[in-house]
Amino acid sequence: MDSEKEQSAATVRSVEIWVAVVVFLFGAGVIFDSYRLGARWGEDGPQAGYFPFYVGVMICLSSAITLVLAWRNAALASESFVDRGQLKLILTVLAPTIIYVAVIAYLGFYLASTLFIAYFMRRLGRYPWLKVVSVAVGVSVVFFLTFEIWFAVPLPKGPLEAALGLN
């Protein structure tokens, strides 16, 4: 086995525990919001949060069972979920995607998408700049025509669209 594969970044057990916790918190949020809306049976039938409340309960129950089973299964603690090399490849895509989603609110959908496409084409695809710029700008123009003009669905815009009078 090569040394890179021996360096586990996460075990199956730790990933299952963290996912169970995150899913449990999601279910708790569903329960809380459903209770806020009304999760009882009213005079005219179920209130708005009645069915979502029980879905949230099932989500929490399922994730609690998963958490207990993962915690008790010692075999999962030695099984590697992802090694460091694989995690690096995942983060190469995940980190820019998170940044892309975060900057849409500030730069707008079209500029953020242009930069996102250009980054991946240049960094991972190693395409020449002419192709990078042509494809990145071209895709954003097609998105703009499709959503803004043809479907009349406005997407978030930023300072560039404001400067061009496209708001």
Side-chain angles (χ1 to χ4, degrees), residues 1 5-17 69-70 73-84 86:
M1 206 180 246
K5 284 198 172 204
E6 291 176 10
Q7 295 181 346
S8 178
T11 64
V12 171
R13 181 183 186 184
S14 65
V15 171
E16 283 197 18
I17 288 171
L69 291 175
N73 191 341
L76 295 179
S78 61
E79 189 177 340
S80 177
F81 180 77
V82 63
D83 64 51
R84 292 181 191 265
Q86 293 168 331

Side-chain angles (χ1 to χ4, degrees), residues 33-96:
D33 203 44
S34 297
Y35 189 76
R36 183 185 61 80
L37 290 173
R40 299 192 195 309
W41 196 268
E43 291 178 18
D44 57 346
Q47 295 175 329
Y50 183 80
F51 292 109
F53 176 83
Y54 288 105
V55 170
V57 169
M58 287 187 278
I59 289 170
C60 286
L61 183 62
S62 299
S63 54
I65 291 169
T66 301
L67 178 68
V68 169
L69 291 175
W71 191 271
R72 295 180 69 196
N73 191 341
L76 295 179
S78 61
E79 189 177 340
S80 177
F81 180 77
V82 63
D83 64 51
R84 292 181 191 265
Q86 293 168 331
L87 184 60
K88 184 179 176 186
L89 291 173
I90 292 167
L91 292 176
T92 301
V93 174
L94 182 62

Side-chain angles (χ1 to χ4, degrees), residues 85-158:
Q86 293 168 331
L87 184 60
K88 184 179 176 186
L89 291 173
I90 292 167
L91 292 176
T92 301
V93 174
L94 182 62
T97 304
I98 291 170
I99 293 167
Y100 164 67
V101 170
V103 301
I104 285 175
Y106 303 104
L107 299 180
F109 176 78
Y110 302 109
L111 180 57
S113 295
T114 301
L115 296 173
F116 183 68
I117 293 167
Y119 170 79
F120 275 105
M121 285 185 70
R122 185 68 183 166
R123 172 98 159 108
L124 300 180
R126 304 196 196 302
Y127 288 99
W129 280 109
L130 182 61
K131 283 185 181 179
V132 169
V133 172
S134 300
V135 171
V137 171
V139 167
S140 290
V141 167
V142 168
F143 281 167
F144 180 81
L145 293 173
T146 302
F147 290 105
E148 302 285 335
I149 307 300
W150 294 324
F151 293 139
V153 176
L155 295 176
K157 297 187 190 57

